[in-house]
Amino acid sequence: NRERLRLRFGFKGKVNEEINLNTRFSTAGGNTSTNQTYGPNFPGYALFIDQAYFTYQPQGLKSLTTYGGKMKNFFSTSPLLWDTDTNPDGLGQEFTTGSLVLRAAEWTTLTNTTSNQGVYAYQVGFHTDLWGVFLSAYNHTSIPAAFNDLLLEFQFSPFNLSLNFAQDSAISSEN
């Protein structure tokens, strides 16, 4: 058994009618957990920037939202593919009209290189208050051989059914 703590606090600010700024701090600096395990000898605990991003929603096109920075994952997803604490870095856009949702993003995975490495993510879906169906495609450019995920998710409140199809082009091209 591990004794753990989690602390998160954030701020939201409105620059103007179109731009919002969001910042969140948390314990533990991992990519997939903000839990901090109590340690021996009464150590201190650090705070990390968990999220720091803007949203832009043009007055003339309220159905379009642009995200930029270290953002909350605005895609509909499941723990099968993304941990709920994952906050990607990059840019993204979301277009919503009625029950239709279209999303696209470019998330950075490595910052110490000059090559374009990251994840291109796309999602189309339909949702209501009771159900949703989403199809997501992820192209991982940071892995030497292109690795792609396709996620089909059915949401029926309070249940989710997720089907994940992964394809590694290096393996499939040799077969």
Side-chain angles (χ1 to χ4, degrees), residues 36-93:
Q36 177 68 53
T37 302
Y38 291 116
N41 304 320
F42 313 111
Y45 301 110
L47 285 176
F48 295 89
I49 297 173
D50 191 33
Q51 296 176 354
Y53 67 99
F54 71 88
T55 58
Y56 171 67
Q57 193 171 35
Q59 286 283 49
L61 190 57
K62 286 288 193 184
S63 55
L64 179 67
T65 304
T66 300
Y67 299 84
K70 183 162 184 63
M71 67 195 84
K72 67 176 182 173
N73 188 350
F74 63 96
F75 275 48
S76 176
T77 188
S78 76
L80 182 65
L81 191 58
W82 295 107
D83 188 280
T84 57
D85 285 330
T86 300
N87 296 306
D89 301 298
L91 291 171
Q93 289 191 313

Side-chain angles (χ1 to χ4, degrees), residues 38 76 81 107 135 140 145 152 164 169-170:
Y38 291 116
S76 176
L81 191 58
W107 295 327
L135 179 63
H140 303 265
L152 180 59
N164 186 30
S169 61

Side-chain angles (χ1 to χ4, degrees), residues 4 39 41 65-66 85 89 92 94 106 133 154 156 158 168:
R4 305 181 94 182
N41 304 320
T65 304
T66 300
D85 285 330
D89 301 298
E94 177 178 57
E106 180 180 358
V133 177
F154 299 96
F156 302 98
D168 183 338

Side-chain angles (χ1 to χ4, degrees), residues 3 14 24 28 44 50 78 100 108 114 121 138 145 164:
E3 299 297 323
K14 190 174 203 173
R24 188 172 80 179
D50 191 33
S78 76
L100 175 66
T108 306
T114 57
Y138 300 92
N164 186 30

Side-chain angles (χ1 to χ4, degrees), residues 100-135:
L100 175 66
V101 179
L102 303 171
R103 297 178 177 121
E106 180 180 358
W107 295 327
T108 306
T109 56
L110 295 176
T111 57
N112 60 350
T113 181
T114 57
S115 63
N116 184 16
Q117 297 191 354
V119 176
Y120 293 103
Y122 310 95
Q123 186 173 73
V124 62
F126 295 92
H127 70 92
T128 69
D129 291 338
L130 296 176
W131 62 271
V133 177
F134 295 91
L135 179 63

